[in-house]
Amino acid sequence: MRIRLLCVCVALCAVQLHADDAELLRRVAGEEEKALDEWTELPDERRVAILRAGLRSNDDKVAYLAARALDADCLDLEEVRLQARILVAHAGWVRDPDAVRPGWAQEGRLPIGAPDLPALWKTACSVEDMPGAREQLTYYHRALLPEHIPAIVELLERAGPEVFLALLDTLHLVADYTDEHRATAARGFLYGLERLRAARAGRPAPRMAEIAGDPLSKSAFLVLARACWLGPDGFNVEGAHSLYPPRGWILRWAREVPLATEDVRFLSDVALLVDETGGESEAVSWAIRGLAVLGARDALLDLGDDARAAAGLARLGEPARLLELLREDDSLLPTWLAFDVMPVEARRRRLGEILLDPGFGDIEPLARYDAEAEYGVRIREEDLAWIGANLLAIDAHPERVASYFAQVYPEGMTAEVARDVARRLRDAPADADGLDGILARIEVVDREALVGLLDHWGARGRKEALPALARLGEARHVPAMIATFADGEFDDPSVLGRVRDPRVEEHLRAQAASGNDEAVPALAVLYALPEPLIWFLMDPTEAQRNLVLERDPVGAVLHALRDGIPDAYLSSIARLGLAKDERAVAFLRDLREKRHLGLYWAGTAGLALGGDEEARRELGGVMREGRTWLLDGILDGDVLTMGGEEEWIDLWVSRINTNCCLSYDAISILLDVFPTIPLVHDKFIDFGRKDRFARAWLGRSAFRGSRILGGLLPVPKGG
């Protein structure tokens, strides 16, 4: 009974304390000088606790003050959602979050996610306009998903001039990455185009109801296509993202539009475009294909005597001129235009020239994937196999053979080919670009073949073998390995710690004790520290050095974190979840509990990686809801796929076709897990469907982990 009474007393005190805190916040919100002085004297821990409670206040001023002042990195998922709902309802915050942040509050991460955007846009449209806010309003596109297209289009008519431009920018940013809601997007673009033209002419803005007819009709397509590709009176407005035409979106639609003879003039105009602003080469490809489909031979001849026009003629069954021109013009567009109608021998020869680049002796792996993902060209398996077989048959340079199978045609890297490549590399100079990638491909298909190759190199004094053997954890040529490490010739000295050999341990201990900083992380790895955590030991203190020598590398890492955590280490903090150590788990839980540190989500990510169900639920919610600002500090493939789980890999594949920023994050995460997946960041507009391409690539092979390269690499299914 006594314990129960004590608990009731504590609870009553807490309620009373909360009431006092609420009153203080009301006074702070009213900017009373005495209250502000009292507030700034409170410790951070106390202020964050009061503000978190303030989020749930029935007093709108108090709740809004708390929402403006709090860093979302101090809040759990439910609080983040509440903070976002409060903020997006206020036009001042939507216009400029920095301008309304209290002077005593520090800048933090935004809580905004995909569920909050419709309300944010409605708030922006609830005022007459937001002059100067276009860039800020467009910035929120980082949380944008295809499902938002109907909400954007619905609000275009209601928006003031600046907000309208921001919403039209936002519609472009999502439409260029998706074909979902095409009819709604088309209606939005048609309205946007008419409103832009009305503004230029000094006319009143049109009504959405005036955009009559089927937005997916061919006439609607032609209006938008001309505005995107040909017209000076199109989507040309300066500022923010400059209302660039939705080129990726219109091109994907163009590929599905039925063409007729009356379209020849339009196609001819598009075919003459010069690729200056991005996207015209794909449009030219579509137009020339269209002219060929219509049998418009005269129109193709009128384009001039160049390879593009010749490619169109090749599609009409006249390949001679194209094949002649390709001997002088090695540009890719004409090749991909006519690729599927080229004679088999010419097609294979040309593909070999592109992939193997005989002029420079380089391998061009992305050429294959650009053809498939960007131009919609189907590269035949039999053509790739034919090129590979020829390389093997003519006894081509070993590195050339290895690079081809490693980078361009991994499906052909069977165990037999891996052994053949390893045999060819035995006495070849190992100065090829991407040597680690070549060795890793052999590793995942036939590890014994790779070990045999490296052992052969090591026996002949080739030092490049030794770091690779260390990466594999192979205790071969250990004296030479130690000597190479001592000479500073390991690109990553820590990998020596993978070699579980008494001689290695003895050397590393002696080196660490004598002050060699590079030996400390290597020794930590030998004592089972997860390798992503070695960054905390790259410049070890004496205390850290001693802890590692005492076989306590996790203790050494935690020692480095006693005095704070730099932002640069947030993803590494999350990887503490890999350490099977109660102290690491306790540290991560501490980050969640001590909200004033602003490390709630780093701690949550680490616990999620370690398997904590509550943390997994919260981190999964942040990822699904597209709260991208919260993920910025922990953008790491292992962390944000929770160790490579299929559910989260699938989520990030689905995010490739959303918007430019989220697509960039998704590709970065997938590259962490699958280092050879042929996705690149340099395509700001998606002219193909990269999500479909990524799914096809992932489904084409099985995968195995590589200790040479890290991550998962493809191997032939059943191989």
Side-chain angles (χ1 to χ4, degrees), residues 154-487:
E154 179 187 351
L155 292 168
L156 286 173
E157 183 179 9
R158 292 168 48 186
E162 192 85 0
V163 176
F164 160 73
L165 293 175
L167 289 178
L168 194 55
D169 266 335
T170 303
L171 181 60
H172 289 170
L173 285 165
V174 66
D176 262 337
Y177 284 82
T178 184
D179 293 325
E180 294 182 38
H181 304 287
R182 180 182 284 168
T184 304
R187 187 173 297 281
F189 284 129
L190 288 166
Y191 172 82
L193 185 62
E194 287 306 307
R195 184 161 170 177
L196 289 171
R197 288 172 173 170
R200 293 184 197 115
R203 301 193 308 267
R207 302 293 303 274
M208 185 67 78
E210 297 172 24
I211 310 301
D214 179 5
L216 293 183
S217 67
K218 186 174 178 180
S219 60
F221 163 78
L222 289 171
V223 167
L224 292 173
R226 288 183 184 279
C228 286
W229 291 329
L230 300 176
D233 190 24
F235 297 97
N236 49 317
V237 176
E238 294 302 318
H241 288 270
S242 300
L243 284 176
Y244 60 83
R247 294 190 179 95
W249 179 81
I250 199 71
L251 180 75
R252 294 191 304 272
W253 185 5
R255 291 169 180 164
E256 301 173 20
V257 170
L259 298 172
T261 305
E262 60 265 25
D263 300 319
V264 168
R265 176 62 183 273
F266 172 67
L267 292 170
S268 296
D269 290 342
V270 174
L272 289 170
L273 286 171
V274 177
D275 191 3
E276 293 178 348
T277 57
E280 278 74 7
S281 61
E282 288 83 357
V284 167
S285 175
W286 168 77
I288 290 177
R289 284 175 182 270
L291 290 171
V293 166
L294 296 174
R297 187 175 186 276
D298 289 344
L300 288 167
L301 290 172
D302 288 343
L303 296 178
D305 187 25
D306 66 11
R308 296 185 303 176
L313 294 173
R315 300 197 65 81
L316 292 178
E318 304 175 31
R321 182 57 179 156
L322 174 65
L323 297 178
E324 180 183 345
L325 288 173
L326 286 179
R327 296 188 187 101
E328 305 168 2
D329 182 353
D330 62 356
S331 59
L332 294 181
L333 176 60
T335 297
W336 299 142
L337 268 171
F339 190 73
D340 56 330
V341 297
M342 281 184 178
V344 173
E345 182 180 347
R347 183 184 73 226
R348 288 177 172 173
R349 183 177 64 251
R350 179 65 179 137
L351 181 62
E353 290 171 351
I354 292 171
L355 297 177
L356 300 175
D357 193 2
F360 300 96
D362 295 330
I363 297 295
E364 298 291 341
L366 288 177
R368 168 189 176 181
Y369 302 112
D370 274 346
E372 293 177 335
E374 300 299 331
Y375 291 92
V377 174
R378 184 174 72 87
I379 303 297
R380 295 170 173 83
E381 173 84 12
E382 57 265 30
D383 288 353
L384 295 168
W386 180 85
I387 294 170
N390 269 284
L391 281 172
L392 294 171
I394 65 175
D395 199 27
H397 193 285
E399 293 167 17
R400 198 166 177 75
V401 176
S403 295
Y404 177 77
F405 282 100
Q407 300 177 55
V408 178
Y409 184 38
E411 307 97 297
M413 182 72 98
T414 62
E416 181 181 357
V417 172
R419 288 191 289 271
D420 189 307
V421 170
R423 177 186 60 78
R424 291 167 183 263
L425 286 172
R426 285 170 68 88
D427 298 311
D431 56 356
D433 290 337
L435 178 61
D436 281 350
I438 294 169
L439 300 181
R441 293 287 194 186
I442 300 172
E443 172 201 4
V444 296
V445 175
D446 191 327
R447 191 178 189 279
E448 289 185 7
L450 177 61
V451 172
L453 169 64
L454 297 175
D455 196 26
H456 177 81
W457 283 358
R460 281 153 182 75
R462 292 179 57 170
K463 289 186 177 181
E464 65 268 25
L466 304 175
L469 285 167
R471 288 182 185 278
L472 294 173
E474 288 285 338
R476 297 168 185 256
H477 309 289
V478 170
M481 195 181 288
I482 290 173
T484 302
F485 173 88
D487 290 340

Side-chain angles (χ1 to χ4, degrees), residues 54-63:
L55 281 176
R56 292 182 167 82
S57 173
N58 293 325
D59 186 321
D60 290 343
K61 288 185 177 180
V62 169

